[in-house]
């Protein structure tokens, strides 16, 4: 579903390697956790997947489509939730959702049904007639999540999704991520919270200083590390 | 406590006028250009100012003639304090209630009167900048022409120092009461638009008044100033009674050598201090309460029950983009003022200044257009086409996305839809401009259906090319990293670049049309050629824009 080949990106005129020859192959139906400390290259990698940052070298394939060669086709398969919800403050919640739905060309009856469903789940139904500028950080985050789910993407990409969410919404989001995988769709998310990655992911990649330093299921990661009890120990050992 | 307040004042002055900010501005290329432009704009005002001052000398002589010297001073104090009051409302509103530092100041262990006091002092500096250019000429003319003594100048100095206090304190009290007792607190955007409009009207009114005075003085000669001095006496006297501090100031300066002068001076200074003290005391009760909510964006209060099935609409992507652009343009004050209000007011200004110029100009105008109404159409098309770039919609369309630009980039939106949608939003503004222009024209000359038809069709066609031109510049160097929408539109260099290139383009087209018109080419052929030029340039720019969007959307970081 998602394939990264030798993906690299340098900043500051080539002096800082943010992402260094990253290779990943993620199958449909997988929840993939992308783990790493701050500044490890998680967001840079994700931005290269969704088309926000052009890689210096390497390729990104979504469902076999090269993101940087056929951006429109590739982008209609994915949706992206950034780490901070910067959206149009002057639109009303419902106007924003309709705008996003128009961009993905979702028919009226289908979008209506999905909006009902997700607004209910994330408890945003009463605020959707208000201007986004009046929302709290968490509400904006939830609105971005809903807008990202409207077109039922084959690949759902989230950058630090649990930050700023209340416990209930965070629980609901995890449920939704699970459901999507049961339907054969793929979820790719980054986090620095080990617990989230450990509980949720089918497979995990740990990135540090731009390189993938560990990749596999929880069990596989355990077998590689010397300290084998928890992801925390493995993580600390590897990123030292 | 005193230390705290002084530190607060120092910081506030530094933020507002500080050297550190100036230094930064000069190191920053974008800001440096802006500073230079502002300086040029200010310099260009000097000739008008000199004209006004030389007029004042004549008015002074007129007052001497009717033996009412002190009235001259009263004029100065009344106008200076009125202007301070007017600006005071705007300054106080933005400085006390909408400035960014409130988030930091309010949680600090400061009393409301400390904050208000410090902000008041900063505003005083602002008000000196406004009041000095008005009061100084009056005082200097009076002092030098009348060869007044040293005591006159000492009195003047004291009066000038105290001049802004009463009006500014009054403005503070009124605004604080207003903010506490009305429900307008969260409607920051509305207040801002209303404030700008009032200021604009005041400035235009002043401009026209000066213009008409200048023209009449040329027509009527020396008698005019005498007439004016006599006419204004009644008004100024009335104002002086309504607002006695100006009267006291004038009386104290007019009789500086007598006891009455000392008495009036003490009255003026004492009242200033008293009003300031009352304002500070009131601020303890009023300031915080008016503030709460001022920092928030108002919601509708109670949440309305929203029915999703009523609200979910679907439209084509380009329409949806256009609609979103229009909504944001209308709901953001800075955008509204610069785009929609700009094209709405400019034609009105043209009409007012033409009618102000008297019947002669109007007569000449109808003579010129009589029997050749195509001139009206051609000029109208030119104006509308220029509005196409002056409305700032095209040349800031990507910059306005700001930090939300990622939304446009991660979605599967075709470049074509981006272009069509954004042009649509510009044309929406243009239609408002066309209506305003046609209505204004109809007010001064006869326009017919043909005028309306050509101005609308060719004007819109020209606007497409102009909007695209702006978009080319904006996608090439979008200004995305801003936290205040001012930066995306008012402080965006792309606007200037687009206007420059747009003016050159339009100048070229205009020159060609002029030549054709002069050599007597059939007017329909001229319209045809204009249309063709617009269509070809629109298409060429469309192709360029499409490629640029695809390229820039992938390489921007």
């Amino acid at each position: 579903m998602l394939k990264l080949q030798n993906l690299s990106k340098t900043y500051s005129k080539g002096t800082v390697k943010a992402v260094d020859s990253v290779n990943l192959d993620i199958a449909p139906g997988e929840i993939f956790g992308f783990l790493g400390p701050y500044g490890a290259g998680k967001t840079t990698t994700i931005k290269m997947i969704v088309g926000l940052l052009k890689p210096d070298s390497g390729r990104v394939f979504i469902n076999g489509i090269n993101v940087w060669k056929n951006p429109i086709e590739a982008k209609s398969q994915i949706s992206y939730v950034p780490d901070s919800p910067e959206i149009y403050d002057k639109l009303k919640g419902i106007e924003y959702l309709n705008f996003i739905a128009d961009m993905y060309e979702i028919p009226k009856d289908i979008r209506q049904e999905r909006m009902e469903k997700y607004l209910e789940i994330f408890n945003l139904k009463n605020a959707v007639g208000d201007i986004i500028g009046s929302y709290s950080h968490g509400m904006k985050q939830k609105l971005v999540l809903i807008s990202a789910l409207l077109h039922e993407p084959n690949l759902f990409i989230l950058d630090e999704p649990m930050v700023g969410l209340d416990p209930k919404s965070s629980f609901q989001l995890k449920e939704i991520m699970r459901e999507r995988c049961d339907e054969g769709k793929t979820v790719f998310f980054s986090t620095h919270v080990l617990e989230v990655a450990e509980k949720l992911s089918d497979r995990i990649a740990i990135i540090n200083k731009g390189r993938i330093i560990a990749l596999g299921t929880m069990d596989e990661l355990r077998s590689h590390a010397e300290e084998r009890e928890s992801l925390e120990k493995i993580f600390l050992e590897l990123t030292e | 406590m005193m230390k705290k307040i002084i530190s607060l004042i120092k910081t506030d002055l530094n933020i507002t006028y500080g050297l550190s900010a100036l230094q930064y501005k000069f190191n920053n290329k974008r800001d440096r250009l802006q500073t230079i432009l502002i300086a040029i704009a200010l310099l260009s005002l000097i000739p008008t100012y000199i004209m006004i001052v030389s007029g004042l000398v004549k008015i002074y002589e007129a007052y001497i003639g009717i033996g009412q010297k002190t009235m001259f001073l009263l004029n100065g104090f009344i106008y200076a304090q009125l202007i301070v009051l007017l600006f005071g409302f705007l300054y106080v509103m933005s400085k006390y209630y909408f400035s960014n530092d409130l988030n930091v100041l309010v949680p600090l262990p400061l009393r409301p009167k400390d904050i208000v006091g410090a902000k008041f002092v900063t505003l005083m500096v602002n008000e000196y900048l406004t009041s000095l250019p008005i009061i100084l000429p009056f005082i200097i003319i009076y002092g030098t022409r009348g060869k007044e003594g040293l005591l006159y100048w000492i009195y003047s100095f004291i009066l000038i120092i105290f001049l802004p206090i009463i009006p500014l304190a009054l403005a503070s009290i009124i605004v604080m009461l207003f903010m506490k007792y009305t429900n307008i607190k969260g409607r920051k955007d509305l207040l801002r638009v209303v404030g700008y409009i009032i200021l604009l009207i005041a400035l235009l009114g002043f401009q026209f008044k000066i213009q008409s005075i200048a023209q009449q003085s040329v027509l009527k000669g020396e008698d005019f100033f005498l007439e004016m001095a006599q006419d204004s006496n009644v008004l100024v006297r009335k104002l002086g009674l309504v607002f006695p501090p100006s009267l006291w100031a004038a009386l104290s300066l007019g009789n500086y050598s007598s006891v009455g002068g000392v008495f009036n001076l003490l009255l003026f200074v004492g009242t200033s201090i008293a009003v300031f003290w009352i304002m500070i005391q009131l601020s303890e009760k009023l300031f915080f309460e008016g503030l709460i909510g001022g920092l928030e964006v108002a919601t509708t209060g109670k949440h309305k029950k929203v029915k999703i099935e009523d609200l979910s609409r679907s439209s084509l992507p380009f329409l949806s983009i256009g609609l979103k652009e229009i909504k944001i343009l209308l709901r953001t004050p800075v955008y509204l003022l610069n785009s929609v209000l700009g094209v709405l007011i400019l034609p009105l200004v043209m009409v007012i200044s033409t009618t102000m110029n008297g019947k002669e100009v109007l007569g000449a105008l109808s003579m010129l257009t009589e029997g050749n109404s195509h001139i009206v159409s051609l000029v109208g098309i030119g104006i509308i086409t220029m509005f196409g770039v002056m409305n700032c919609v095209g040349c800031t369309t990507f910059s306005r996305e700001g930090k939300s630009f990622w939304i446009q980039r991660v979605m599967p939106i075709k470049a074509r839809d981006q272009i069509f949608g954004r042009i649509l939003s510009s044309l929406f503004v243009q239609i408002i401009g066309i209506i305003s222009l046609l209505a204004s024209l109809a007010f001064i000359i006869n326009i017919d259906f043909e005028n309306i038809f050509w101005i609308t069709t060719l004007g819109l066609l020209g606007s497409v090319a102009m909007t695209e031109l702006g978009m080319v510049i904006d996608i090439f160097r979008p200004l995305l990293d801003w936290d205040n929408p001012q930066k995306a539109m008012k402080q965006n260099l792309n606007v200037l670049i687009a206007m420059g290139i747009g003016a050159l383009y339009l100048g070229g087209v205009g020159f060609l049309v002029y030549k054709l018109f002069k050599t007597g080419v059939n007017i329909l052929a001229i319209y045809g050629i204009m249309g063709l030029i617009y269509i070809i340039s629109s298409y060429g720019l469309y192709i360029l824009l499409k490629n640029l969007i695809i390229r820039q959307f992938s390489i921007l970081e």
Side-chain angles (χ1 to χ4, degrees), chain B residues 358-383:
Chain B
K359 293 184 186 104
E360 296 81 5
V361 181
L362 272 181
L365 213 65
S366 24
M367 283 259 285
L368 189 73
T369 55
E370 201 70 29
N372 207 344
S373 77
H374 296 299
I375 293 179
V376 177
S377 299
L378 290 174
V379 171
I381 295 166
I383 292 173

Side-chain angles (χ1 to χ4, degrees), chain B residues 52 129 146 161 172 226 233 244 259 297 327 357 367 371 466 503 516:
Chain B
I52 295 173
L129 294 178
I161 294 292
S172 302
L226 196 66
N233 254 1
V259 185
V297 175
K327 279 179 191 155
N357 278 328
M367 283 259 285
M466 284 300 202
L516 292 174

Side-chain angles (χ1 to χ4, degrees), chain B residues 95-152:
Chain B
K95 188 90 191 161
Y96 288 19
Y97 291 96
F98 299 132
S99 72
N100 292 329
D101 60 355
L102 287 169
N103 282 326
V104 182
L105 291 181
V106 174
L108 290 179
L110 293 166
R111 291 173 302 178
K113 57 176 161 188
D114 302 336
I115 300 177
V116 168
K119 284 177 178 287
F120 189 89
V121 172
T122 323
L123 287 188
M124 283 287 286
V125 178
N126 255 338
E127 295 286 24
Y128 285 128
L129 294 178
T130 339
S131 64
L132 281 181
I134 301 171
I135 193 66
L136 274 185
F138 283 91
I139 287 180
I140 293 173
I141 290 169
Y142 188 96
T144 50
R145 290 267 156 164
K147 301 200 173 57
E148 309 295 341
L150 178 67
L151 200 58
Y152 171 85

Side-chain angles (χ1 to χ4, degrees), chain B residues 83 86-87 90 193-209 337 341 345 348-349 352 356:
Chain B
I83 296 282
L86 177 71
F87 278 92
L90 300 177
V193 173
V194 171
Y196 274 116
I197 291 175
I198 291 172
L199 191 66
L200 202 67
I201 291 172
L203 285 178
L204 285 177
F206 177 70
Q207 169 77 23
F208 291 136
K209 186 78 198 156
L337 289 164
L341 278 178
I345 285 174
L348 293 177
V349 171
I352 297 171
M356 279 270 184

Side-chain angles (χ1 to χ4, degrees), chain A residues 75 88 90 98 102 111, chain B residues 189 311 313 320 401 409:
Chain A
K75 284 172 186 173
Y88 305 118
K90 297 285 171 184
N98 271 316
D102 283 338
R111 77 170 70 172
Chain B
D189 289 356
L311 291 169
R313 299 194 172 83
S320 193
E401 296 278 336
R409 292 178 64 202

Side-chain angles (χ1 to χ4, degrees), chain B residues 341-351 387 390 436 440:
Chain B
L341 278 178
V343 300
L344 197 69
I345 285 174
L346 272 174
L348 293 177
V349 171
M350 283 179 349
V351 171
F387 278 2
M390 278 170 71
S436 172
S440 305

